[in-house]
Amino acid sequence: SELRAHRRGSVYRSIALVDARGHGIAWSGEWSPGPRAVERTALSRALADGQAAHAGPFRDPATGAIVMDFVAPVGVGVARHALVLRVPLEDALYPLLHGRTTIASEETYLARRDGEDALSLSPLRFRPGAPLDFRMPLSRANVIATSVLSGARPLDRPLRGFDYRGAEVIAWSLPVAGT
């Protein structure tokens, strides 16, 4: 099929054409609907705005992999369908974060605010199995990630404090555009 041809040689785990309710019409690869709340929000936003949206990271219900969905409306006028491109982060994003590390103690990772916690979105060098499983309360003010995500410390400048292990570090925190 044409979807299979587009997926071949790409980082996409799956490509799916879905209707406005998220039901698959055609797909290629290991496609299954994502978590309903996550997927519906991105799908609704893409169809309402007529622009691409993203969902995740989340754990793929079919494979257990950490993935993101990129949702693009298709059609003329009012879009009633969307193309969903599912990207496994271990293939597309995580190598970019960890491939640049040159110092034994250096680490690059992603985290986001999730309620009253900082949630790890990427693997941590000193804590196996962290993506989407490791949380720290934002009340831990001496930890750089939690203090930045709570708004207590500024972005885009050197910061001194502690990392998720309690080790003293110098850090630089930057926002991810569009998130």
Side-chain angles (χ1 to χ4, degrees), residues 12-39:
Y12 308 126
R13 173 156 288 151
S14 62
I15 299 175
L17 179 65
V18 300
D19 64 18
R21 294 176 303 181
H23 297 133
I25 297 168
W27 59 86
S28 174
E30 301 168 349
W31 185 78
S32 63
R36 296 314 268 166
V38 171
E39 193 173 79

Side-chain angles (χ1 to χ4, degrees), residues 3 12 19 27-28 40 54 58 60 72 124 136-137 151 159 170 177:
L3 290 177
Y12 308 126
D19 64 18
W27 59 86
S28 174
R40 282 197 188 275
H54 69 277
F58 61 88
D60 185 317
L124 299 172
M136 291 185 72
L159 300 169
I170 297 173

Side-chain angles (χ1 to χ4, degrees), residues 17-179:
L17 179 65
V18 300
D19 64 18
R21 294 176 303 181
H23 297 133
I25 297 168
W27 59 86
S28 174
E30 301 168 349
W31 185 78
S32 63
R36 296 314 268 166
V38 171
E39 193 173 79
R40 282 197 188 275
T41 300
L43 179 60
S44 297
R45 196 170 52 242
L47 294 177
D49 298 345
Q51 296 187 14
H54 69 277
F58 61 88
R59 197 170 301 282
D60 185 317
T63 66
I66 307 296
V67 298
M68 284 187 75
D69 281 354
F70 294 90
V71 183
V74 294
V76 178
V78 178
R80 291 199 162 83
H81 297 91
L83 202 56
V84 179
L85 307 172
R86 181 155 297 161
V87 178
L89 298 186
E90 73 260 15
D91 297 336
L93 178 63
Y94 297 159
L96 297 175
L97 295 176
H98 301 291
R100 304 178 71 170
T101 302
T102 58
I103 301 170
S105 63
E106 181 181 351
E107 183 169 28
T108 302
Y109 66 92
L110 298 172
R112 75 169 174 225
R113 184 178 182 141
D114 190 40
E116 292 302 311
D117 291 330
L119 176 64
S120 172
L121 303 178
S122 60
L124 299 172
R125 178 181 276 192
F126 303 105
R127 187 174 183 98
L132 303 182
D133 291 329
F134 180 63
R135 297 174 168 275
M136 291 185 72
L138 294 177
S139 59
R140 292 189 59 188
N142 62 340
V143 176
I144 291 176
T146 58
S147 62
V148 167
L149 289 170
S150 70
R153 294 182 100 173
L155 292 168
D156 203 14
R157 63 184 59 176
L159 300 169
R160 186 177 209 127
F162 297 91
D163 70 2
Y164 57 91
R165 301 169 295 155
E168 190 169 4
V169 295
I170 297 173
W172 194 281
S173 295
L174 295 170
V176 176
T179 63

